[in-house]
Amino acid sequence: MSARHPRPADDFSEADLKVESPKDHAAGPTAVAVSMKRSLERMGPINTAKTLLKLNQLEGFDCMSCAWPDPDPGHRHVAEFCENGAKAVAEEATTRRATPEFFAQYSIAELDRQSEYWLGQQGRITHPMIKRPGATHYEEVQWDEAFALIGAELKSLNTPDEAIFYTSGRASNEVAFAYQLFVRAFGTNNLPDCSNMCHESTSIALQESIGIGKASVSIDDVHNAKLLVIAGQNPGTNHPRMLSALEIAKQNGAKIISINPLREAGLVRFKNPQNPSGVVGRGTEISDLHLPIKINGDLALFQAIGALLVQWDALDHEFIAEHTTGFEQWRSHVEALDWDAVVETTGLSRAQITEAAQLIRESDATIYCWAMGLTQHRNAVATIKEVVNLAFAQGNIGKPGAGLFPVRGHSNVQGDRTMGIWERPPAHFLDSLQKEFGFDPPRENGLDTVDSIRAMRDGKAHFFLGLGGNFVQAVSDTDVAAQALRNTRMTVHISTKINRSHLVTGDTALILPTKGRTEKDIQASGPQWISVEDSTCSVHSSRGPLKPASPYLKSEVEIITRIAEAAIGDRYGLNWQGMRDDYSVIRTHISKVVPGCAAYEVNVGRPGGFVLPHPPRDSRTFPTKSGLGEFVASPIEVLQVPEGHVVLQTLRSHDQFNTTIYGLSDRYRGIEGGRKVVFLHPDDIAALGLTDGQFVDLHTRWVEDDIERSVSGFRVVSYDTPRGSAAAYYPETNPLIPLDSTALESNTPTSKSVIVSIVPTLTGNAKAAGQDGQDAVGSDNGHKATPQPLHLS
Ligand SMILES: Nc1nc2c(c(=O)[nH]1)N[C@H]1C(S)=C(S)[C@@H](COP(=O)(O)OP(=O)(O)OC[C@H]3O[C@@H](n4cnc5c(=O)[nH]c(N)nc54)[C@H](O)[C@@H]3O)O[C@H]1N2
Ligand SMILES: Nc1nc2c(c(=O)[nH]1)N[C@H]1C(S)=C(S)[C@@H](COP(=O)(O)OP(=O)(O)OC[C@H]3O[C@@H](n4cnc5c(=O)[nH]c(N)nc54)[C@H](O)[C@@H]3O)O[C@H]1N2
Ligand code: SF4
Ligand SMILES: [Mo]
């Protein structure tokens, strides 16, 4: 391989890891500087200018990073984006290219030895690629042949249920609708999505408690709340423009409680780069009260707060009587609260909990915000129902400045669900599909992500298609998942850039390169636009400004409709060509099938779009089984952690989007130049017989099966986290999460509570201190490095 061109980022090494003090504020001028530097480096000046000024603007494109809402038309800044939005754009609009020549240079096995960071740095995929059975490399394939192979494979299955159709939450409403239509016409509900690993616990809990699985607030409510409770969320990194909204709320007099094992910089102070005081001054204090809760303590905490509200009679009796059911059972449940269990589970004192409850008691307009810190635990669904109980107790739903705010992850993960990407579709949705298209869709529930892995592992599914995403890195139990995918006859990935999932192949593997949000999409009827839904149920349009990265790219709608034609032709008279020639044809179908989307084309096309109906928010009506808001009492489960073990949460650094690693700077937590770290309380470090900076291995404690799960070569970092609560980055730690360790009811992997032991890495262990950000999937990448002392400052 001597003729190989040098590739960017070949030199990334964990040996450069530096640990500094965590920051006490988020954003500020550094955020602007980092955004501009990354944008110019990756996209060059022309794409930077063409994209950033169009980002989140009325005639522009929707940020493809998180699902934070935009301000109303007329209230937007010239620069209506954050550092991580700019990084997401730069990552997609990069000028680097992964061409067929690149794939000819590196075998799949060689690529699999590279880190996810390195893979991402190779740039946009330019041509459709195939790995044929027995081949060692990907080679170029013509689009027609690719579609024909997929069609033939799908037709060869014994039943449609042997195919898995995954979706990542960046897909637009238009492609999502066409995709679910194809999959159901093909004959299965096997539509797992990233939501299964994300806010599924939220959707299940809210569906039962309030009758709809979505947030009940608008951005105006956030601005006008008297109190915001932010639990299990790190907005400074993952929803950075939320800090601007929190700043406005604070200026309007709001108080903020943060509930998080970590003192995340964005929850301490915000320096708004849009304001002079944010550039030179101290910025805005965000949290009035921080509760450094032990991992998984939230159910107990919320129940204890409920008990205090009941004890103080700080209740909205009128709301409870008129709009809810189950209150009396819940009241007697919380009255019998075991405070010792609460203190043990939360790691908080009764005084701290009382202080939080007092703030809640004093507020007549409270918003509860949450994200992955609540959803990815065994008892996640119960925890979220407990949040709803608190909101009900004080009537904090369906009134200005109050409500429930699960802050969604991927930019269109909520819209994809609205469009029917769901393995458990409600009957009314299927009825509408039947009415519109004249065929009876399958009525049996399909497989979610965890069950899809089981099906592939057990030889019950033979075909995997991913509409975006990086399935094998995102799911739990990486090695088990990789083996499951390798069991299949065909894997197909519709992607913009190379990722690990392309390297874990079925007998045949296809990479179908697609246009991204930043790019123009021209079809037979002319330029097309797409639509998306944010965390606050607001739906709006998006138009990419750039010329596509390669002339061979196809839009996601084109790819899905061509696959549909190849697999089912014109079955049921479905007109795939009409849909891809003019996306408004899809939108007309949406308006007839999807609840709340009448006159979709007109409503979504107008500046700022429209807001979907939400009965609890709009009229305090609850489309639940009982027709009322449902209080649900749940027992407190104390997580049993054996001696010598800690609970590990797996989270995001400031320099990644899920499995896409932008760079190696987790600036706010003081980690630079590497990712293989494990944050531990100093007393835990001592109690486990370790030292700060030492190389360690993490082993999962899981007695339900006999698989040994471990990762190696992580550095111990002494950190302000509660005792017994450790943290490390995702996805490097995903091999530690057992496939069967999932949340009750939602089946979401327990990514935030993995019980592990931590032991020194044996020097000379081949896996120790991998040079790259992570090990190759299912193989020992053999990197060796000598442990070096950390630069502690
Ligand atoms: N830049 C960037 N933006 C993103 C993403 C990204 O990767 N990068 N990902 C997107 C996606 S898909 C999602 S889902 C969201 C995720 O957004 P977040 O949910 O904010 O993401 P995580 O990094 O998983 O952080 C979870 C937070 O919960 C805390 N936590 C962990 N365990 C517990 C617990 O038991 N109790 C409590 N109270 N807190 C706990 C952690 O300390 C951390 O602050 O972000 C979206 N936006
Ligand atoms: N341990 C642990 N595991 C987790 C989590 C955790 O907190 N801890 N979080 C979970 C969560 S919340 C989520 S949402 C999942 C994320 O799971 P996924 O959504 O599957 O993963 P992503 O990393 O967001 O997907 C990135 C890939 O999408 C492709 N892509 C980017 N843009 C486009 C586009 O416009 N079109 C297409 N077709 N492809 C595109 C690129 O090839 C890129 O490599 O991970 C989950 N896994
Ligand atoms: S807050 Fe989220 S949607 Fe808004 S610009 Fe930042 S990353 Fe993009
Ligand atoms: Mo997510």
Side-chain angles (χ1 to χ4, degrees):
M1 285 282 143
S2 53
R4 180 180 295 171
H5 299 303
R7 304 298 307 187
D10 253 336
D11 56 348
F12 150 43
S13 154
E14 287 276 335
D16 298 334
L17 184 85
K18 285 196 177 62
V19 178
E20 294 159 7
S21 311
K23 304 286 175 289
D24 67 351
H25 68 270
T30 320
V32 180
V34 172
S35 317
M36 290 322 289
K37 183 165 176 284
R38 284 284 170 83
S39 301
L40 292 167
E41 257 170 29
R42 307 261 158 108
M43 306 192 269
I46 297 173
N47 281 6
T48 300
K50 275 190 183 162
T51 52
L52 293 188
L53 295 176
K54 289 270 183 199
L55 186 50
N56 296 325
Q57 301 297 341
L58 292 180
E59 286 300 306
F61 67 100
D62 184 69
C63 177
M64 62 287 245
S65 190
C66 79
W68 185 254
D70 299 315
D72 289 336
H75 290 89
R76 299 190 191 180
H77 293 98
V78 180
E80 193 53 68
F81 58 88
C82 70
E83 174 187 342
N84 279 337
K87 285 182 189 167
V89 170
E91 198 71 13
E92 179 177 304
T94 174
T95 50
R96 294 175 190 161
R97 297 289 178 266
T99 59
E101 292 72 45
F102 168 79
F103 285 99
Q105 268 181 25
Y106 291 87
S107 71
I108 293 169
E110 280 181 289
L111 290 174
D112 196 26
R113 282 196 284 274
Q114 300 294 343
S115 69
E116 203 67 43
Y117 172 65
W118 187 92
L119 294 174
Q121 291 311 301
Q122 306 315 311
R124 291 288 297 278
I125 306 162
T126 57
H127 293 68
M129 303 299 299
I130 188 167
K131 182 207 85 88
R132 299 187 191 272
T136 54
H137 288 69
Y138 272 102
E139 61 185 274
E140 189 185 341
V141 61
Q142 298 303 308
W143 279 104
D144 285 347
E145 189 193 346
F147 293 131
L149 286 169
I150 297 169
E153 187 62 47
L154 286 171
K155 284 179 186 159
S156 78
L157 298 174
N158 291 322
T159 103
D161 291 333
E162 291 180 358
I164 310 283
F165 298 94
Y166 175 69
T167 310
S168 167
R170 198 172 275 192
S172 66
N173 282 352
E174 284 73 5
V175 72
F177 186 84
Y179 188 40
Q180 63 80 32
L181 175 62
F182 153 56
V183 171
R184 295 194 165 110
F186 175 66
T188 181
N189 281 315
N190 284 350
L191 282 160
D193 67 350
C194 65
S195 206
N196 297 147
M197 306 177 257
C198 185
H199 265 294
E200 194 68 65
S201 305
T202 298
S203 304
I204 302 270
L206 292 189
Q207 195 70 45
E208 183 180 331
S209 295
I210 68 166
I212 173 169
K214 300 178 179 186
S216 75
V217 297
S218 68
I219 199 164
D220 259 1
D221 290 321
V222 176
H223 295 164
N224 295 313
K226 301 269 174 56
L227 175 69
L228 291 125
V229 179
I230 304 174
Q233 194 201 349
N234 178 21
T237 286
N238 297 315
H239 305 92
R241 279 189 307 158
M242 180 172 174
L243 298 187
S244 313
L246 295 180
E247 183 175 49
I248 296 174
K250 295 271 341 202
Q251 283 158 358
N252 291 339
K255 293 251 186 324
I256 293 180
I257 303 176
S258 71
I259 304 170
N260 199 309
L262 308 181
R263 201 175 291 273
E264 305 283 24
L267 293 170
V268 179
R269 208 143 30 88
F270 172 50
K271 293 194 178 183
N272 190 342
Q274 308 265 11
N275 297 341
S277 68
V279 178
V280 291
R282 277 181 52 77
T284 305
E285 305 282 345
I286 296 291
S287 298
D288 298 271
L289 175 66
H290 172 69
L291 299 180
I293 195 163
K294 270 166 70 174
I295 291 174
N296 198 233
D298 304 84
L299 172 59
L301 169 67
F302 292 128
Q303 222 164 83
I305 293 173
L308 290 169
L309 295 180
V310 166
Q311 189 189 323
W312 299 333
D313 195 25
L315 303 169
D316 183 339
H317 291 287
E318 214 176 293
F319 176 86
I320 294 170
E322 205 175 320
H323 298 286
T324 70
T325 177
F327 172 71
E328 287 307 329
Q329 291 93 309
W330 176 74
R331 179 217 287 266
S332 13
H333 179 72
V334 298
E335 277 174 347
L337 187 81
D338 175 354
W339 271 99
D340 293 337
V342 171
V343 170
E344 187 197 335
T345 314
T346 59
L348 302 169
S349 67
R350 193 165 171 157
Q352 279 171 303
I353 297 173
T354 306
E355 194 183 346
Q358 260 153 1
L359 285 172
I360 291 175
R361 170 198 204 166
E362 285 157 17
S363 157
D364 60 6
T366 301
I367 294 181
Y368 294 89
C369 309
W370 70 92
M372 297 305 99
L374 294 201
T375 64
Q376 298 174 330
H377 299 280
R378 186 175 148 80
N379 58 359
V381 174
T383 302
I384 294 159
K385 287 178 187 165
E386 204 61 59
V387 174
V388 181
N389 293 339
L390 285 189
F392 284 162
Q394 294 182 295
N396 272 316
I397 186 162
K399 70 176 187 188
L404 299 166
F405 197 178
V407 186
R408 240 79 195 190
H410 265 292
S411 60
N412 198 40
V413 62
Q414 188 162 319
D416 291 345
R417 270 292 162 88
T418 306
M419 295 297 130
I421 301 287
W422 200 355
E423 76 285 356
R424 281 174 285 182
H428 66 78
F429 185 88
L430 298 178
D431 294 342
S432 305
L433 267 189
Q434 180 165 17
K435 204 160 150 229
E436 174 71 358
F437 296 102
F439 72 93
D440 192 12
R443 298 276 165 172
E444 296 231 315
N445 285 347
L447 302 173
D448 62 14
T449 52
V450 165
D451 285 335
S452 295
I453 296 168
R454 292 184 177 130
M456 291 185 282
R457 177 194 65 190
D458 300 340
K460 293 182 184 150
H462 309 290
F463 173 94
F464 177 91
L465 169 64
L467 173 57
N470 185 3
F471 187 74
V472 81
Q473 281 291 39
V475 296
S476 46
D477 230 349
T478 315
D479 295 339
V480 173
Q483 201 44 53
L485 280 161
R486 291 197 174 106
N487 268 352
T488 61
R489 294 207 293 265
M490 182 178 278
T491 47
V492 182
H493 291 281
I494 300 170
S495 313
T496 48
K497 303 184 70 177
I498 309 181
N499 65 44
R500 182 78 48 202
S501 297
H502 303 149
L503 312 176
V504 179
T505 60
D507 297 339
T508 301
L510 285 146
I511 308 176
L512 306 180
T514 190
K515 293 172 192 165
R517 276 264 180 98
T518 54
E519 291 167 320
K520 291 193 174 111
D521 183 2
I522 297 171
Q523 302 295 340
S525 70
Q528 305 297 315
W529 48 274
I530 51 104
S531 52
V532 292
E533 176 183 344
D534 66 31
S535 271
T536 58
C537 311
S538 167
V539 188
H540 53 272
S541 62
S542 174
R543 295 163 179 79
L546 298 182
K547 194 172 143 209
S550 145
Y552 305 102
L553 303 185
K554 291 195 185 299
S555 76
E556 294 178 324
V557 171
E558 263 182 292
I559 297 173
I560 290 300
T561 54
R562 292 285 304 272
I563 291 175
E565 280 170 339
I568 58 170
D570 62 357
R571 189 185 291 176
Y572 310 129
L574 296 172
N575 180 2
W576 300 110
Q577 167 137 20
M579 294 185 228
R580 82 172 152 263
D581 285 352
D582 180 355
Y583 299 175
S584 71
V585 172
I586 304 178
R587 288 189 285 270
T588 303
H589 290 310
I590 291 174
S591 69
K592 297 199 197 131
V593 173
V594 182
C597 288
Y600 190 70
E601 180 78 13
V602 178
N603 287 339
V604 78
R606 69 164 72 103
F610 73 104
V611 179
L612 284 165
H614 186 295
R617 176 197 66 203
D618 301 337
S619 58
R620 293 189 151 184
T621 48
F622 296 90
T624 56
K625 281 204 192 102
S626 61
L628 293 166
E630 303 208 3
F631 275 92
V632 183
S634 310
I636 298 175
E637 248 187 47
V638 181
L639 204 61
Q640 298 301 331
V641 185
E643 190 64 28
H645 291 70
V646 292
V647 186
L648 176 78
Q649 59 144 325
T650 61
L651 42 47
R652 291 152 174 82
S653 84
H654 189 62
D655 217 4
Q656 71 184 86
F657 188 85
N658 297 336
T659 68
T660 301
I661 310 303
Y662 297 147
L664 304 173
S665 168
D666 194 11
R667 193 168 76 237
Y668 298 153
R669 300 195 190 105
I671 302 296
E672 297 288 341
R675 293 179 45 87
K676 288 179 78 170
V677 294
V678 53
F679 300 101
L680 281 166
H681 188 282
D683 293 348
D684 281 329
I685 298 178
L688 295 170
L690 304 170
T691 53
D692 201 356
Q694 182 174 16
F695 283 106
V696 290
D697 297 352
L698 282 68
H699 295 270
T700 307
R701 180 182 159 94
W702 182 253
V703 291
E704 275 76 353
D705 60 39
D706 50 17
I707 300 176
E708 159 65 23
R709 296 176 175 86
S710 65
V711 294
S712 188
F714 279 60
R715 241 59 96 87
V716 171
V717 172
S718 167
Y719 205 80
D720 183 4
T721 177
R723 279 214 64 181
S725 295
Y729 301 129
Y730 134 73
E732 287 82 349
T733 43
N734 286 42
L736 294 173
I737 308 163
L739 188 66
D740 294 338
S741 179
T742 60
L744 300 170
E745 298 180 71
S746 68
N747 211 22
T748 295
T750 58
S751 307
K752 294 289 187 280
S753 40
V754 194
I755 297 175
V756 295
S757 60
I758 305 183
V759 298
T761 298
L762 293 176
T763 323
N765 178 345
K767 272 179 116 178
Q771 258 182 346
D772 293 323
Q774 63 218 60
D775 293 346
V777 152
S779 69
D780 190 324
N781 71 358
H783 288 302
K784 289 192 181 73
T786 326
Q788 285 173 5
L790 284 182
H791 314 264
L792 287 165
S793 56

